[in-house]
RNA sequence: GCCCGGAUAGCUCAGGGGCAGAGCAACGCACUCGUAAUGCGUAGGUCGUGGGUUCAAUUCCCACUCCGGGCUCCA
């Protein structure tokens, strides 16, 4: 019998009989690998485990506990769900069912406009478990388009995909599970179920099982508002029961940290419906935190060489015609207001106003870089259904800066800007960053190639000088210039896009900005847009979730609570409060009308950093009992000592950041 | 905006065509207590709004409002 040679990822080669499959390769390496295998990559292309290999192929086994492996599991689980739905809802049409982050979904159209309920979800899940128990093989076959269209005669969405795949020049950006130009492949699970799919899939449904259906949602066919509304079922699937349980636990944890829930519990802010969707009012405890954030931001900008400006919330439409916002951003703007001498809009961005400040008089190269900073409140019209707590609202305040400088200054300016941004984010407790460089979209840009090359290399240089790893998002730039986006990872591993540094040569052009150079000629500056926390409101929401409401001492609305053990100790408690108040502590006292245990519990529920208990011993000795959040109780700490520790802790937060 | 779901006391939630319920919170009284819930009591509601069906609607039906989950990208 003929032999074939297979190369493994470590470079070694092995011989197998002709017709061997990746499953055979996995089995020959070890039984554990064979068990964990869900698919393979053959010469870099994902393939089924039981596809026959060709001589000389490079084979890597994809295991269930890798990202690629989980994608295969999830995608296969989506198929099982589709099969379950067709069993339970005859006549259901199905469209696409991809793997997504942490799970999968599948979109269906049910006969007579029926919709799924939660009870249906339970029934579908039960049916899925039966299918898993049946251990049906996933059998791949490839078809001619004509035969595929016939096979899916009563599945209009599948037919549309097939037609799109087979038509030349198909739109490549479509998020369907079939790439244009590829062969039409289908997977058959049983006589009763066959699905159009690129694959790969696990060998059989018995490989699956650690899944859970999560929710039903409406979703437009191909994301198009004008297209039909389908019924989407979201599920999650993992390589083991343990990984599934961990994921479900993470969801619970995220729910507990939801800033909207904590905002109510901790009395931080609310969204009164009388005001309208996406518009918050800040209660005293939320407002003090926000004030501290803003004060800190101002302090850092003052030290960072920024000049403070203020600009109005409304502007004449002419301004946004000049800036181009009415051409490019009209959808995101509030509707216009007609007033005596013209049309006015609430500003969606601060940059046009800052350009007018630059342009208010002649500028010299000696003034550059000119860094204008504003906590500027902007209004953006977000569709009602997209509003989400503080994370997406209709009016918000940016810690916004526009830096005007020469093209030559840009690399150094961006380099120090990166330092500045990271140092401020660190002060708020973030230290895990991801960087993205977005480059020119060939379909949508202004400015010449040399400008773009120059700008992109300035950003790249800054990242390289800091030795930062970054991913490049080709074609993701705004039309006016490339940008760096910075994501932070929070305490439970979620990524939030916060900061952005955008290079802009368009706006200076539009506003005709000029400075006089050392050569006595007029030159055009370039402009850097830079938001650091981004939206103060959103950043506040991220902080609430990052800290789960337990703000670090320097940001906590109430830093210290003093609890007299009994009424007799209240006078002494007031003395302690006065001592702490004198060093600027936010401190309060709760008298002994309730039992001590209950008052401690309340303070813990409010997540206060320090509870000080004072009783007979303390009055006698001038001490306090210190009960820190998340720490051990310590009796008999002198008031002087506690005041010293407290001030050290609070000032070190700001000092650390200022010296960085 | 569109699809689905929801709305009962400040919060969390139960109930159900026939007098509106609990726990926590609030308020009062008693207790004066050393580190995560003392006891008793009081008050709190047009059951989101409007219309319909019914002898009777918080409950069933319709519309609306608001909230939540989703619907390419983006603060």
């Amino acid at each position: 019998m003929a032999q074939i040679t297979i190369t493994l990822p470590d470079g070694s080669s092995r011989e197998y009989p002709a017709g061997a499959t990746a499953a055979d390769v996995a089995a020959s390496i070890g039984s554990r690998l064979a068990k964990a295998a869900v698919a393979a990559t053959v010469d870099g292309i994902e393939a089924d485990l039981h596809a026959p290999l060709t001589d000389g192929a490079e084979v890597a086994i994809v295991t269930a506990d890798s990202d690629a492996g989980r994608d295969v599991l999830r995608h296969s689980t989506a198929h099982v769900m589709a099969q379950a739905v067709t069993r339970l809802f005859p006549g259901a049409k199905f469209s696409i069912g991809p793997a997504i982050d942490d799970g999968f979904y599948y979109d269906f159209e049910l006969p007579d406009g029926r919709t799924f309920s939660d009870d249906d979800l339970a029934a579908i899940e039960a049916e899925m478990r039966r299918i898993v128990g049946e251990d049906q093989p996933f059998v791949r076959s490839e078809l001619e388009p004509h035969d595929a269209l016939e096979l899916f005669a009563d599945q209009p969405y599948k037919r549309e995909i097939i037609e799109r795949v087979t038509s030349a020049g198909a739109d490549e950006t479509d998020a369907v599970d079939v790439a244009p130009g590829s062969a039409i492949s289908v997977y058959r699970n049983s006589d009763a179920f066959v699905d159009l799919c690129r694959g790969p899939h696990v060998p059989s449904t018995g490989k699956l099982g650690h899944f859970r259906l999560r929710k039903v949602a409406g979703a437009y066919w191909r994301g198009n508002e004008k297209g039909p509304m389908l019924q989407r079922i979201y599920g999650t699937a993992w390589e083991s029961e343990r990984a599934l349980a961990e994921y479900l636990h993470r969801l619970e944890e995220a729910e507990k940290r939801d800033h909207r829930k904590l905002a109510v519990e901790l009395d931080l802010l609310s969204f009164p419906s009388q005001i309208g969707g996406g518009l918050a009012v800040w209660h005293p405890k939320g407002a003090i935190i926000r004030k501290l954030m803003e004060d800190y931001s101002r302090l850092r900008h003052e030290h960072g060489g920024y000049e403070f400006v203020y600009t109005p919330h409304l502007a004449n439409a002419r301004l946004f015609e000049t800036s181009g916002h009415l051409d490019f951003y009209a959808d995101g703007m509030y509707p216009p207001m007609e007033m005596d001498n013209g049309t006015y809009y609430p500003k969606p961005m601060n940059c046009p106003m800052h350009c007018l400040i630059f342009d208010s008089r002649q500028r010299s190269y000696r003034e550059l870089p000119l860094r204008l900073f504003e906590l500027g409140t902007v209004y953006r019209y977000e569709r009602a259904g997209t509003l989400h707590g503080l994370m997406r609202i209709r009016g918000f305040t940016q810690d916004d800066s526009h830096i005007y400088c020469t093209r030559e200054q840009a690399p150094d300016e961006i380099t120090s800007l990166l330092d500045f941004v990271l140092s401020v984010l660190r002060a708020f407790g973030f230290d895990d960053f991801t960087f993205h460089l977005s480059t020119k979209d060939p379909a949508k840009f202004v400015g010449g190639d040399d400008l773009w090359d120059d700008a992109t290399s300035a950003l790249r240089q800054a990242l390289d000088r800091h030795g930062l790893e970054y991913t490049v998002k080709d074609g993701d730039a705004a039309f006016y210039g490339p940008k760096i986006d910075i994501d932070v990872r929070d305490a439970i591993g979620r990524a939030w896009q916060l900061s952005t540094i955008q290079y802009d040569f368009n706006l200076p052009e539009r506003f005709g900005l000029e400075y006089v150079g050392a050569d006595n000629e007029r030159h055009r500056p370039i402009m850097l847009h830079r938001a650091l926390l981004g939206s103060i409101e959103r950043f506040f929401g991220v902080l609430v979730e990052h800290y789960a409401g337990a703000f670090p001492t320097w940001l906590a609305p109430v830093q210290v609570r003093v609890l007299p053990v009994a009424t007799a100790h209240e006078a002494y408690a007031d003395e302690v409060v006065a001592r702490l108040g004198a060093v600027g502590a936010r401190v309060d006292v709760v008298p002994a009308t309730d039992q001590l245990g209950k008052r401690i519990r309340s303070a813990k529920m409010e997540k206060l950093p320090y509870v000080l208990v004072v009783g007979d011993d303390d009055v006698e000795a001038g001490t306090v009992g210190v009960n820190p959040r998340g720490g051990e109780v310590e009796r008999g700490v002198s008031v002087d000592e506690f005041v010293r520790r407290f001030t050290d802790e609070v000032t070190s937060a700001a000092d650390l950041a200022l010296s960085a």
Side-chain angles (χ1 to χ4, degrees), chain A residues 475-487:
Chain A
D476 220 33
F479 68 90
Y480 52 74
K483 62 174 176 176
I484 295 172
D485 288 326
I486 303 174
D487 289 359

PDB file of all heavy atoms in Angstrom, chain A residues 475-487:
ATOM      1  N   GLY A 475      -7.580  50.089   6.626  1.00  0.00           N
ATOM      2  CA  GLY A 475      -8.800  50.673   6.074  1.00  0.00           C
ATOM      3  C   GLY A 475      -9.787  51.133   7.114  1.00  0.00           C
ATOM      4  O   GLY A 475     -10.911  51.486   6.803  1.00  0.00           O
ATOM      5  N   ASP A 476      -9.378  51.172   8.390  1.00  0.00           N
ATOM      6  CA  ASP A 476     -10.315  51.515   9.450  1.00  0.00           C
ATOM      7  C   ASP A 476     -10.240  52.991   9.849  1.00  0.00           C
ATOM      8  O   ASP A 476     -10.959  53.441  10.734  1.00  0.00           O
ATOM      9  CB  ASP A 476     -10.025  50.641  10.679  1.00  0.00           C
ATOM     10  CG  ASP A 476     -11.302  50.176  11.341  1.00  0.00           C
ATOM     11  OD1 ASP A 476     -12.278  49.957  10.614  1.00  0.00           O
ATOM     12  OD2 ASP A 476     -11.320  50.051  12.576  1.00  0.00           O
ATOM     13  N   ALA A 477      -9.357  53.742   9.199  1.00  0.00           N
ATOM     14  CA  ALA A 477      -9.170  55.140   9.576  1.00  0.00           C
ATOM     15  C   ALA A 477     -10.381  55.978   9.196  1.00  0.00           C
ATOM     16  O   ALA A 477     -11.161  55.606   8.327  1.00  0.00           O
ATOM     17  CB  ALA A 477      -7.921  55.694   8.896  1.00  0.00           C
ATOM     18  N   ALA A 478     -10.514  57.124   9.877  1.00  0.00           N
ATOM     19  CA  ALA A 478     -11.487  58.115   9.445  1.00  0.00           C
ATOM     20  C   ALA A 478     -11.009  58.688   8.114  1.00  0.00           C
ATOM     21  O   ALA A 478      -9.832  58.561   7.770  1.00  0.00           O
ATOM     22  CB  ALA A 478     -11.592  59.215  10.489  1.00  0.00           C
ATOM     23  N   PHE A 479     -11.922  59.331   7.404  1.00  0.00           N
ATOM     24  CA  PHE A 479     -11.535  59.809   6.069  1.00  0.00           C
ATOM     25  C   PHE A 479     -10.439  60.872   6.141  1.00  0.00           C
ATOM     26  O   PHE A 479      -9.716  61.092   5.205  1.00  0.00           O
ATOM     27  CB  PHE A 479     -12.764  60.357   5.333  1.00  0.00           C
ATOM     28  CG  PHE A 479     -13.323  61.621   5.913  1.00  0.00           C
ATOM     29  CD1 PHE A 479     -12.868  62.850   5.470  1.00  0.00           C
ATOM     30  CD2 PHE A 479     -14.305  61.580   6.901  1.00  0.00           C
ATOM     31  CE1 PHE A 479     -13.380  64.018   6.007  1.00  0.00           C
ATOM     32  CE2 PHE A 479     -14.809  62.741   7.442  1.00  0.00           C
ATOM     33  CZ  PHE A 479     -14.346  63.971   6.998  1.00  0.00           C
ATOM     34  N   TYR A 480     -10.304  61.527   7.318  1.00  0.00           N
ATOM     35  CA  TYR A 480      -9.380  62.669   7.397  1.00  0.00           C
ATOM     36  C   TYR A 480      -8.002  62.308   7.921  1.00  0.00           C
ATOM     37  O   TYR A 480      -7.134  63.155   8.017  1.00  0.00           O
ATOM     38  CB  TYR A 480      -9.984  63.779   8.248  1.00  0.00           C
ATOM     39  CG  TYR A 480     -10.469  63.318   9.620  1.00  0.00           C
ATOM     40  CD1 TYR A 480      -9.576  63.011  10.640  1.00  0.00           C
ATOM     41  CD2 TYR A 480     -11.831  63.214   9.878  1.00  0.00           C
ATOM     42  CE1 TYR A 480     -10.022  62.586  11.877  1.00  0.00           C
ATOM     43  CE2 TYR A 480     -12.290  62.787  11.118  1.00  0.00           C
ATOM     44  CZ  TYR A 480     -11.382  62.482  12.104  1.00  0.00           C
ATOM     45  OH  TYR A 480     -11.835  62.056  13.330  1.00  0.00           O
ATOM     46  N   GLY A 481      -7.782  61.044   8.326  1.00  0.00           N
ATOM     47  CA  GLY A 481      -6.443  60.703   8.777  1.00  0.00           C
ATOM     48  C   GLY A 481      -6.411  59.427   9.593  1.00  0.00           C
ATOM     49  O   GLY A 481      -7.452  58.974  10.071  1.00  0.00           O
ATOM     50  N   PRO A 482      -5.209  58.849   9.779  1.00  0.00           N
ATOM     51  CA  PRO A 482      -5.082  57.606  10.535  1.00  0.00           C
ATOM     52  C   PRO A 482      -5.174  57.860  12.038  1.00  0.00           C
ATOM     53  O   PRO A 482      -5.116  59.007  12.477  1.00  0.00           O
ATOM     54  CB  PRO A 482      -3.683  57.122  10.156  1.00  0.00           C
ATOM     55  CG  PRO A 482      -2.926  58.376   9.863  1.00  0.00           C
ATOM     56  CD  PRO A 482      -3.922  59.330   9.255  1.00  0.00           C
ATOM     57  N   LYS A 483      -5.310  56.792  12.826  1.00  0.00           N
ATOM     58  CA  LYS A 483      -5.463  56.979  14.265  1.00  0.00           C
ATOM     59  C   LYS A 483      -4.931  55.781  15.041  1.00  0.00           C
ATOM     60  O   LYS A 483      -4.760  54.683  14.501  1.00  0.00           O
ATOM     61  CB  LYS A 483      -6.934  57.181  14.619  1.00  0.00           C
ATOM     62  CG  LYS A 483      -7.800  55.969  14.274  1.00  0.00           C
ATOM     63  CD  LYS A 483      -9.234  56.128  14.780  1.00  0.00           C
ATOM     64  CE  LYS A 483     -10.101  54.955  14.343  1.00  0.00           C
ATOM     65  NZ  LYS A 483     -11.455  54.995  14.879  1.00  0.00           N
ATOM     66  N   ILE A 484      -4.664  56.061  16.325  1.00  0.00           N
ATOM     67  CA  ILE A 484      -4.354  54.997  17.280  1.00  0.00           C
ATOM     68  C   ILE A 484      -5.520  54.914  18.249  1.00  0.00           C
ATOM     69  O   ILE A 484      -5.933  55.934  18.804  1.00  0.00           O
ATOM     70  CB  ILE A 484      -3.065  55.303  18.086  1.00  0.00           C
ATOM     71  CG1 ILE A 484      -1.843  55.337  17.176  1.00  0.00           C
ATOM     72  CG2 ILE A 484      -2.865  54.254  19.193  1.00  0.00           C
ATOM     73  CD1 ILE A 484      -0.577  55.825  17.881  1.00  0.00           C
ATOM     74  N   ASP A 485      -6.066  53.732  18.447  1.00  0.00           N
ATOM     75  CA  ASP A 485      -7.080  53.522  19.478  1.00  0.00           C
ATOM     76  C   ASP A 485      -6.474  52.692  20.594  1.00  0.00           C
ATOM     77  O   ASP A 485      -5.670  51.797  20.325  1.00  0.00           O
ATOM     78  CB  ASP A 485      -8.296  52.776  18.921  1.00  0.00           C
ATOM     79  CG  ASP A 485      -9.140  53.652  18.008  1.00  0.00           C
ATOM     80  OD1 ASP A 485      -9.223  54.865  18.283  1.00  0.00           O
ATOM     81  OD2 ASP A 485      -9.692  53.131  17.025  1.00  0.00           O
ATOM     82  N   ILE A 486      -6.853  53.011  21.818  1.00  0.00           N
ATOM     83  CA  ILE A 486      -6.328  52.268  22.964  1.00  0.00           C
ATOM     84  C   ILE A 486      -7.480  51.605  23.699  1.00  0.00           C
ATOM     85  O   ILE A 486      -8.427  52.275  24.112  1.00  0.00           O
ATOM     86  CB  ILE A 486      -5.561  53.199  23.925  1.00  0.00           C
ATOM     87  CG1 ILE A 486      -4.434  53.900  23.153  1.00  0.00           C
ATOM     88  CG2 ILE A 486      -5.000  52.405  25.106  1.00  0.00           C
ATOM     89  CD1 ILE A 486      -3.698  54.944  23.961  1.00  0.00           C
ATOM     90  N   ASP A 487      -7.411  50.284  23.823  1.00  0.00           N
ATOM     91  CA  ASP A 487      -8.389  49.527  24.613  1.00  0.00           C
ATOM     92  C   ASP A 487      -7.779  49.246  25.974  1.00  0.00           C
ATOM     93  O   ASP A 487      -6.589  48.961  26.059  1.00  0.00           O
ATOM     94  CB  ASP A 487      -8.678  48.170  23.972  1.00  0.00           C
ATOM     95  CG  ASP A 487      -9.483  48.292  22.689  1.00  0.00           C
ATOM     96  OD1 ASP A 487      -9.831  49.426  22.315  1.00  0.00           O
ATOM     97  OD2 ASP A 487      -9.749  47.247  22.063  1.00  0.00           O
TER      98      ASP A 487
END
